[in-house]
Each structure stands twice: as structure tokens, then as C-alpha cells.
Amino acid sequence: MGELEDAVMTRVWQWNRPVTVREVLEDLQQERSIAYTTVMTVMDNLHQKGWVRREVSGRAYRYTAVSTRAAYSAALMNEAWSKSDNPAAALVAFFGMMSAEQREALNDAVRIVQRDTPEQGGEEPPEEAEEGRAAGGEAAAGR
């Protein structure tokens, strides 16, 4: 995302509701001089890129984020990491740039992923298998 796309998406994510070009424009104008058509073009570009969905509301569109800022950030990190010729070295360098608070957040995230990821071998933890059967019957249980 470019700088203006990021500024628009920041508002869409923060407000967490369908927004119009006019609303985004008025908020952006508190920081900079910008034209309605510029914001409209940026929001259309974000729609074309799949970052927002839109629905007609009267004579205007209302835009809603397709995913969260966290998902966007994760996609950026994954893209950068996957393009590295030495992914392990890239991770070591990235972790080395982190503050103590960021490293603690990383440790928390790893614990959550390890806790929530089924064991290797394709087996579901018993409680998740039961939830799957309760939610969808035999199809959800893999039968």
C-alpha cells in the first residue's frame, strides 16, 4: 500500500464500520489538503486490490475492510520473509530489531499458535474433534 492508501485504510480499520468517501475525506482534510476525487480514486483502487468491499448506499458507496490491519501486517511480513534467500537469517535479523516488549508479544504468539495447532499426523485434539462433530455432524468429523 502507498502512503495515502495506508491513511485511508487506517481510518477504515479504526472506525470498523462501513464508511463513505466523504467521511474519509473530511477526516483526511484535518491533516492535509486533499480533493474528493483523489480519495474516491484511492478507495476505488483499494476495492480493485481487494482490501475493501463496497455496497451502494443511495448515490454513494459504503466501503468496509475485507480483513484486519493485523492480517495485512502478517501478509506483508510473510511476503518479505518468503522472498529472502536465507529465511532463517532474515528472521534472526528481524527478531534482533525487536524491543523487549515486541519479543514478549512474539513469545506469547508462538505459545498461542503451538497451543491451537493440532499435533502433527493430522489428528485433531479431542475437544476440537468433538466441537467439529457437534457443529457439523459426520461431515465435519471427516467421515
Side-chain angles (χ1 to χ4, degrees):
M1 257 186 247
E3 183 217 337
L4 189 50
E5 288 176 326
D6 183 66
V8 169
M9 282 306 300
T10 294
R11 283 151 178 85
V12 175
W13 282 318
Q14 285 175 341
W15 296 339
N16 197 28
R17 61 174 173 75
V19 300
T20 63
V21 171
R22 176 76 50 203
E23 290 172 309
V24 174
L25 170 72
E26 289 172 358
D27 200 60
L28 285 170
Q29 285 179 331
Q30 294 177 26
E31 300 171 2
R32 62 177 95 185
S33 176
I34 190 166
Y36 180 91
T37 54
T38 301
V39 177
M40 183 175 62
T41 298
V42 168
M43 294 185 82
D44 183 63
N45 290 344
L46 290 167
H47 176 257
Q48 297 300 321
K49 291 178 179 182
W51 286 107
V52 295
R53 71 177 63 89
R54 66 184 179 194
E55 58 186 49
V56 176
S57 177
R59 293 179 27 189
Y61 285 116
R62 289 202 173 271
Y63 294 84
T64 308
V66 170
S67 66
T68 64
R69 186 182 240 351
Y72 171 68
S73 296
L76 286 177
M77 289 186 285
N78 187 54
E79 181 181 351
W81 182 60
S82 67
K83 290 182 179 178
S84 173
D85 59 347
N86 188 341
L91 284 174
V92 169
F94 179 64
F95 297 156
M97 295 178 200
M98 292 178 155
S99 67
E101 293 82 18
Q102 290 170 321
R103 283 192 299 277
E104 185 58 35
L106 174 65
N107 288 331
D108 291 343
V110 168
R111 281 191 291 274
I112 290 167
V113 169
Q114 287 174 336
R115 180 191 72 209
D116 292 346
T117 302
E119 295 297 320
Q120 289 189 352
E123 300 276 331
E124 284 183 294
E127 64 277 1
E128 288 182 29
E130 288 302 316
E131 289 173 11
R133 281 189 274 283
E138 293 183 2
R143 297 186 199 148

